Amino acid sequence: MTTWEYVTTPLLIHNTTAILNNWGSQGWELVQIVTGPEGGLVAYLKRPVITGENA
């Protein structure tokens, strides 16, 4: 069974592509972008957890 780890990161409107490309190059997949509590955009990302079983 695949297990996942998650991360959230703020997105700067003028640099969204670079931010997402950076996370993507580290194996993170974008799940959703929402408006954060202070009004900015927040990206939710996931990637599979690498363990001895699925490494």
Side-chain angles (χ1 to χ4, degrees):
M1 177 172 73
T2 302
T3 55
W4 301 93
E5 62 180 324
Y6 299 89
V7 67
T8 59
T9 186
L11 294 176
L12 304 173
I13 294 297
H14 66 278
N15 208 17
T16 302
T17 301
I19 293 168
L20 293 174
N21 282 339
N22 181 55
W23 285 100
S25 70
Q26 297 175 44
W28 292 95
E29 178 182 351
L30 179 65
V31 175
Q32 181 174 334
I33 297 175
V34 299
T35 302
E38 285 87 39
L41 296 177
V42 177
Y44 286 76
L45 303 107
K46 71 176 184 177
R47 70 178 173 187
V49 173
I50 303 300
T51 63
E53 188 175 300
N54 55 352

